[in-house]
Amino acid sequence: MRIALFATCIVDAMYPATAKATVRILERLGHEVVFPSGQACCGQMHVNTGYLKEAVPVVANHVAAFDTADYDVAVAPSGSCVASVKHQHPMVARACGDAALEARATAVGTKTYELSELLVDVLGVTDAGAQLGSYFPHRVTYHPSCHGMRLLRLGDRQSRLLRTVQGIDLAELPEQDQCCGFGGTFSMKNADVSSAMLQDKAANIESTGAELCTGGDASCLMHIGGGLSRQGSSTTTLHLAEILASTMEEPASVIGEVRVSTGKALR
Amino acid sequence: MTTFLGMPALPAFGSGNLFAGESFPTAAHRELGNAQLRANLGHATHTIRDKRQAVVAELPDWEQLRDAGSAIKQAVMARLPELLEEFETNFTARGGVIHWARDAREANEIVAGLVRDTGETEVVKIKSMATQEIGLNEYLEEQGIGAFETDLAELIVQLDHDKPSHILVPAIHKNRTEIRDIFLREMPGADPALTDDPSVLAMAAREHLRRKFLTAKVAVSGANFALADSGTLAVVESEGNGRMCLTLPETLITVMGIEKLLPTWQDLEVFMQLLPRSSTGERMNPYTSLWTGVTEGDGPQNVHLVLLDNGRSAALADEMGRSALHCIRCSACMNVCPVYERTGGHAYGSTYPGPIGAILSPLLTGIEAEENNSLPYASSLCGACYDACPVKINIPDILVHLRSVDVDSKRGKKKVPSQMDVGMKAASWALSSGKRLGLVEKGLPLGRLAAGPDRKITKLPGIAAGWTQSRDIPAPPAQSFRDWWAKEHRNAGGAPGTPGTPEAGPSRTLSPDTKETPQ
Ligand code: SF4
């Protein structure tokens, strides 16, 4: 299958290792990955902050980059960006009265999948250890992000995949369905409330004794990781794609831009 | 502005207790500092939402019930004027009197006038959101009429001269020791040996209220539902104090928002399943009272209904926002909201706190009303409210819609654009082209420099300072993914941005020269 990667702006600029891990997983399954170079961002930051007019060119750019490229399905390692492509793009096009753009956006959205959704529903991965060689001998806890959970209804796809990683010690996160408090510009406009939510999330993570917290959204992980780092915690965050891509021969640490474990080098 | 028919060109916005005196972030900052409040709230919301979860899970057709509730309400909004007229005809035919109030001021004047006509100076009240919204108690007091709340929690809040902070559990922010202190201080004739045992407190309130019920000649109530086909009103409650108010006095005055209508008796079936489960986490509430006009020799002989608009027509005119009027005030959305859980209801300024308040208050009053424009931003858009709402109000989408109305209403008005305006414009330019984003990413090494040797950014200027108040930002990578991909594929013989050959496979993506060192 020919799979187009939507790296998302934050992964592209801040967490390239997550995108590389995604490529690695898909290629290991024997698929061809393409990267439509016109892509930039899904525009959810603009839409969610009320800047609909400014969101229009961002959305139009994404649609143009993806509806001209030649691929079977598109994938992004981010639930919230996929939710934006699927739910917000047609809405933005409608709001600016562009019926043609709306139709194209809907078509692109239909072909776009979140990583775990693609792996489980389309590519038939049921055992990451056996099918991808995933090996990650660490105590990990998992935070399902709001958009994946409530907008995409990912259910337990992500945790199911994680559970089949060899060597993993997966600790259940208390109150896992609670928002981490990121919410894009919410974290700046309502910094106090966002910090209070983050504090509780961090405390729950710490209570599991996990070395790191994983999830499917780079932005939430940046938020959680940033809070843990500020609190001087030794726990950090790592995207689920990097755990799935980690193998016995090439453990996550060699491709990680994200520090994997303070003071405890990965073997 | 009016048309030649004398009709207002735009429906009027509402007034009353719907406005915040300060912006949400400011109020939230203050409320967050109250550790007792946070502990009380966290405990209470967790308890109610666990109960709700359990009873909702019992119903195999919960999702269909939500769909039905949503569809009925949508139908009501589509033909509201017609249904209101049908209701008026039936209510009047059974001996009731209808009054129409455009806003809070009109509604208050009508109620005060009705009370004055009875010659009484005291009324008993059953918990009502509509009368909270219009500030009826305060208005009556100004007119020399004492209004006594009979709902236990509402009584606590009233005695303490406080405001409710939850629509169902108005005293959610108080614990039992605080309640005992309030009773000792404010309740006439309270036993000085009062303990903080909940049953002892309940008995004290009961004695206090009994005296009121037996002497009051006038009662004021709200209504949860109004059935158009029979002209019936309904109140759903837990303590039975409402039933006392609805049956003992001679005059009953109900104040109700015009959106509370249901077309038929049969529709009530759906809502009687949705409401108790969503609000108190019970399969059925203890008391449901329905009354249809006047019954000779039984119950109040003067029955009035004030139908309140107060901005509801304006909300109805907002195509995206109108479904906020479907709300049955169950409070499920606030019980699951992580923002409400931490700030409590007072931070929202309005009678309606939490997620529904964040959309309803600006819809009723207009987003340009002072300080209310911070309410739609008081959400991380996590979507828990939408999942919990028994009538499926898409609160996150309405929040986003109201944010865009707010941004647009300010466009062009400001002489100097805000930092957010400038940032969003710049980001729009950079993020609407792969080439431009690539160019911006060339600056990533600068960020690495700013991060310093410990590889984190701990202080940012301007609006971004909110982020670094409690979170670090990791140092950006040396190279963006886009750059890496272009170089990789150039090395592999392809043009930048074109796919590599599949045979190159994983070993290429992880060739030794592209490995990055762990940090
Ligand atoms: S918006 Fe929905 S969940 Fe919230 S109070 Fe209204 S009906 Fe209940």
Side-chain angles (χ1 to χ4, degrees):
Chain A
M1 201 181 271
R2 207 169 149 90
I3 301 171
L5 173 66
F6 172 35
T8 79
C9 63
I10 183 163
V11 166
D12 179 14
M14 293 295 288
Y15 298 100
T18 298
K20 289 177 201 173
T22 307
V23 174
R24 196 172 159 206
I25 294 166
L26 299 175
E27 290 187 340
R28 202 179 294 156
L29 289 167
H31 300 285
E32 180 191 354
V33 180
V34 296
F35 181 77
S37 63
Q39 66 174 279
C41 168
C42 64
Q44 68 170 303
M45 174 181 77
H46 285 99
V47 177
N48 288 353
T49 317
Y51 288 79
L52 224 57
K53 200 176 134 216
E54 286 78 4
V56 174
V58 183
V59 168
N61 177 68
H62 181 87
V63 173
F66 278 85
D67 77 348
T68 51
D70 172 26
Y71 62 90
D72 301 304
V73 289
V75 68
S78 160
S80 69
C81 304
V82 173
S84 170
V85 167
K86 282 182 180 296
H87 301 295
Q88 293 188 330
H89 286 195
M91 185 268 284
V92 169
R94 210 173 320 128
C96 72
D98 191 336
L101 182 64
E102 185 185 344
R104 290 164 59 214
T106 306
V108 170
T110 313
K111 282 167 79 177
T112 306
Y113 292 81
E114 184 274 339
L115 179 61
S116 72
E117 213 181 6
L118 181 80
L119 290 175
V120 173
D121 297 3
V122 184
L123 306 181
V125 178
T126 51
D127 186 336
Q131 290 165 276
L132 297 167
S134 311
Y135 174 70
F136 198 74
H138 297 279
R139 187 167 175 85
V140 173
T141 193
Y142 159 74
H143 165 68
S145 290
C146 302
H147 286 75
M149 191 170 40
R150 303 207 177 89
L151 270 169
L152 296 181
R153 302 278 174 210
L154 292 181
D156 64 351
R157 288 177 180 81
Q158 296 182 334
S159 58
R160 242 192 297 159
L161 287 172
L162 276 172
R163 229 167 260 129
T164 58
V165 170
Q166 277 191 24
I168 202 165
D169 173 11
L170 195 62
E172 177 94 6
L173 180 63
E175 311 239 305
Q176 59 163 6
D177 62 349
Q178 290 288 296
C179 176
C180 70
F182 173 56
T185 48
F186 169 77
S187 59
M188 293 184 236
K189 285 197 166 224
N190 279 288
D192 294 325
V193 187
S194 168
S195 298
M197 290 161 70
L198 175 59
Q199 258 171 27
D200 293 346
K201 180 60 70 181
N204 279 325
I205 291 172
E206 298 255 80
S207 78
T208 65
E211 290 168 66
L212 42 83
C213 173
T214 191
D217 256 281
S219 47
C220 306
L221 294 176
M222 179 167 90
H223 181 246
I224 295 170
L228 288 165
S229 157
R230 176 62 59 87
Q231 292 170 21
S233 168
S234 64
T235 311
T236 182
T237 53
L238 187 67
H239 195 284
L240 150 87
E242 292 178 66
I243 293 183
L244 294 178
S246 174
T247 62
M248 200 122 30
E249 298 73 37
E250 291 167 310
S253 62
V254 296
I255 57 161
E257 275 291 336
V258 180
R259 189 173 40 179
V260 168
S261 198
T262 311
K264 287 176 271 174
L266 281 183
R267 284 165 300 275
Chain B
M1 203 173 54
T2 55
T3 65
F4 70 98
L5 284 174
M7 294 295 287
L10 274 175
F13 284 123
S15 55
N17 293 330
L18 296 167
F19 298 89
E22 54 192 341
S23 77
F24 183 82
T26 312
H29 178 80
R30 188 191 50 242
E31 300 293 317
L32 277 164
N34 185 344
Q36 181 69 57
L37 170 96
R38 255 175 90 176
N40 294 354
L41 270 173
H43 178 73
T45 53
H46 273 77
T47 310
I48 312 177
R49 72 180 179 230
D50 289 348
K51 272 176 77 184
R52 176 193 152 268
Q53 195 69 50
V55 294
V56 158
E58 288 174 357
L59 287 189
D61 59 346
W62 182 250
E63 286 310 313
Q64 285 96 311
L65 277 168
R66 288 176 79 209
D67 284 334
S70 172
I72 293 169
K73 280 292 186 180
Q74 218 171 314
V76 168
M77 296 314 148
R79 49 192 197 98
L80 192 57
E82 178 196 324
L83 286 172
L84 282 167
E85 280 179 26
E86 185 186 339
F87 178 83
E88 181 178 34
T89 307
N90 291 324
F91 189 78
T92 312
R94 308 287 182 109
V97 183
I98 297 261
H99 310 263
W100 299 85
R102 206 173 343 209
D103 57 18
R105 192 180 53 83
E106 280 188 11
N108 284 333
E109 283 170 4
I110 293 167
V111 177
L114 289 169
V115 178
R116 252 194 312 269
D117 289 349
T118 66
E120 294 294 318
T121 53
E122 273 192 14
V123 301
V124 283
K125 279 190 69 203
I126 180 59
K127 185 176 172 310
S128 143
M129 298 313 296
T131 60
Q132 284 282 355
E133 173 187 327
I134 60 176
L136 180 67
N137 291 8
E138 296 73 27
Y139 182 82
L140 289 179
E141 203 180 312
E142 281 168 28
Q143 305 296 309
I145 300 166
F148 296 92
E149 295 290 350
T150 65
D151 174 86
L152 180 54
E154 206 66 64
L155 171 70
I156 294 165
V157 172
Q158 189 183 36
L159 287 174
D160 197 32
H161 312 286
D162 193 8
K163 276 184 169 177
S165 67
H166 187 282
I167 64 172
L168 197 81
V169 198
I172 196 170
H173 56 303
K174 300 204 187 294
N175 63 29
R176 55 193 199 182
T177 313
E178 291 171 284
I179 294 168
R180 184 204 50 194
D181 294 345
I182 295 167
F183 279 12
L184 282 177
R185 203 177 57 233
E186 305 282 348
M187 195 183 270
D191 178 2
L194 203 63
T195 68
D196 65 3
D197 181 334
S199 64
V200 171
L201 291 173
M203 282 313 292
R206 197 183 153 107
E207 241 174 78
H208 169 78
L209 289 172
R210 200 41 57 124
R211 282 195 291 273
K212 294 284 172 212
F213 287 136
L214 294 174
T215 53
K217 300 262 188 302
V218 183
V220 173
S221 87
N224 291 88
F225 304 103
L227 313 174
D229 66 347
S230 58
T232 301
L233 291 171
V235 160
V236 175
E237 45 138 3
S238 298
E239 295 167 8
N241 292 338
R243 175 156 295 179
M244 304 283 252
C245 291
L246 299 168
T247 50
L248 290 175
E250 291 163 7
T251 301
L252 173 60
I253 306 165
T254 302
V255 182
M256 182 188 85
I258 52 171
E259 83 284 14
K260 297 253 158 173
L261 276 186
L262 297 179
T264 69
W265 255 93
Q266 219 183 344
D267 298 315
L268 190 60
E269 176 239 336
V270 171
F271 292 89
M272 289 311 294
Q273 295 185 70
L274 289 172
L275 182 57
R277 282 190 155 82
S278 302
S279 53
T280 49
E282 293 167 302
R283 297 186 185 95
M284 182 49 73
N285 54 291
Y287 299 90
T288 301
S289 305
L290 293 121
W291 69 102
T292 309
V294 176
T295 307
E296 214 177 308
D298 184 15
Q301 297 299 299
N302 300 308
V303 174
H304 295 268
L305 174 66
V306 181
L307 281 166
L308 178 71
D309 185 320
N310 208 29
R312 284 159 178 80
S313 303
L316 194 62
D318 185 322
E319 199 190 328
M320 278 287 291
R322 73 172 57 132
S323 62
L325 296 177
H326 296 186
C327 177
I328 56 172
R329 312 279 189 261
C330 73
S331 77
C333 58
M334 50 205 80
N335 295 334
V336 297
C337 177
V339 175
Y340 175 87
E341 185 185 330
R342 284 159 183 93
T343 64
H346 292 163
Y348 295 79
S350 157
T351 292
Y352 305 107
I356 183 64
I359 57 172
L360 194 60
S361 307
L363 280 165
L364 293 177
T365 60
I367 191 91
E368 291 177 56
E370 209 171 340
E371 304 299 4
N372 270 7
N373 53 26
S374 66
L375 286 177
Y377 299 94
S379 165
S380 65
L381 303 179
C382 79
C385 50
Y386 183 22
D387 266 14
C389 179
V391 284
K392 283 194 161 176
I393 300 173
N394 190 338
I395 296 175
D397 269 8
I398 300 177
L399 285 165
V400 167
H401 158 68
L402 289 173
R403 290 176 187 186
S404 79
V405 176
D406 174 48
V407 168
D408 286 341
S409 82
K410 287 180 184 145
R411 267 182 218 283
K413 264 199 220 158
K414 285 176 287 186
K415 289 201 188 73
V416 186
S418 69
Q419 267 189 53
M420 190 60 93
D421 297 339
V422 175
M424 286 291 161
K425 260 218 160 72
S428 172
W429 178 85
L431 296 174
S432 54
S433 142
K435 274 210 185 74
R436 288 202 286 264
L437 177 58
L439 216 67
V440 173
E441 286 167 349
K442 296 281 185 222
L444 289 175
L446 274 178
R448 274 173 102 75
L449 215 64
D454 62 353
R455 292 286 166 89
K456 32 184 167 176
I457 300 171
T458 54
K459 210 166 170 61
L460 287 173
I463 42 173
W467 175 277
T468 46
Q469 169 184 320
S470 58
R471 319 151 186 97
D472 296 334
I473 291 185
Q479 185 190 36
S480 69
F481 174 76
R482 177 185 307 270
D483 239 19
W484 174 83
W485 179 274
K487 294 216 171 75
E488 239 351 74
H489 291 84
R490 193 179 293 128
N491 292 346
T498 59
T501 43
E503 309 82 78
S507 62
R508 172 183 51 76
T509 55
L510 278 173
S511 59
D513 56 339
T514 62
K515 279 186 190 171
E516 283 152 14
T517 40
Q519 293 161 29

